[in-house]
Amino acid sequence: MWEVMFWPIVACVLLPWLLVYLGLHVVQRGIIFVDIAMAQMASLGICVALLFRLDLHGWATFAIALAFTVLGGAIFSLTGKRASKIPQEAIIGIAYVVAAAAAVLLLSRAAEGDEEIKQMLVGNILLVTPAEVWKCFALFVAVGIFHFALRRNFLIVSFDRDAAYQRGLRVRWWDFFFYVSFGLVVTIFVRIAGVLLVFSYLIVPAVCGINLAGETRARLILGWIIATIGGIGGLFWSFYGDLPSGAAIVCTFGVLLVIVSGIGFIRRLAVKAELT
């Protein structure tokens, strides 16, 4: 068992920290579905590579997927206006639907299209290799260093957008830098985990952290704990239940979110009771 589970467990321990951090930005910006849209853009690039019969684990495929993701980032940064009649979530939703439909059209021309659609959606983290884990971790560290070095501007643009405009920051450019770095993370992780698991890792732990803590640092720590428990718990469930790993982890995250939401609700009731 441990020969099969070791590297997936390592992936679930080493990789979630940056996803939780980026997820907090996404939730704070109110663009919840941007991650699944970006993941779908990356998947569309992988479909193009599949159509040209490129190695799906090669650098050419990664470059094509990243190009599609950067294109999505450019679109979202340009449409993220301070005031607009069209909500940005509408643009994100349209991008997701069009990218998903285009992927289906491309895969309809491939003999293994149905299997690839399933793989893109739910992935199979149980099959992750040591090389994939370390490659992904190295990229995550590089993106993490980039965000840490520029954390003040990234945080103010995400957490206090009006203040960013008042300080004269070029918000669209900072949005673009955020989306490009975000796209790098999504592009490499979607090949390991699939679209649905990328969304779950980015959003559920961040929402759980927000439910239980007020400070960003505490939210990050709690989010990482939730992500680790959900990832490893889902892996064991999928292994012993002979279930798809991605779907099992997503459902485990759903259960954890319900539990955390219940704890948060009870805590709020207790605070109200103390005040009265």
Side-chain angles (χ1 to χ4, degrees), residues 251-269:
C251 290
T252 304
F253 276 136
V255 172
L256 288 173
L257 179 59
V258 171
I259 293 171
V260 169
S261 298
I263 294 172
F265 179 72
I266 293 170
R267 286 179 61 187
R268 287 190 293 271
L269 287 179

Side-chain angles (χ1 to χ4, degrees), residues 87-183:
Q88 193 176 20
E89 281 284 88
I91 305 298
I92 292 169
I94 292 168
Y96 169 74
V97 169
V98 172
V104 171
L105 289 176
L106 290 175
L107 290 178
S108 68
R109 298 295 182 182
E112 62 274 35
D114 291 343
E115 185 60 31
E116 285 299 325
I117 290 174
K118 178 183 175 182
Q119 179 67 22
M120 284 192 307
L121 282 176
V122 298
N124 192 352
I125 201 169
L126 281 175
L127 300 180
V128 70
T129 65
E132 287 175 327
V133 172
W134 292 120
K135 186 191 299 182
C136 192
F137 181 67
L139 178 62
F140 279 24
V141 169
V143 174
I145 292 171
F146 173 71
H147 271 266
F148 182 78
L150 302 172
R151 63 190 180 280
R152 291 184 179 178
N153 287 347
F154 279 126
L155 287 171
I156 194 171
V157 169
S158 292
F159 287 74
D160 195 351
R161 205 167 180 85
D162 288 336
Y165 279 107
Q166 290 170 6
R167 293 188 183 186
L169 292 179
R170 304 184 71 175
V171 173
R172 285 192 183 181
W173 277 108
W174 285 104
D175 280 345
F176 179 70
F177 295 146
F178 174 80
Y179 286 126
V180 169
S181 60
F182 184 79

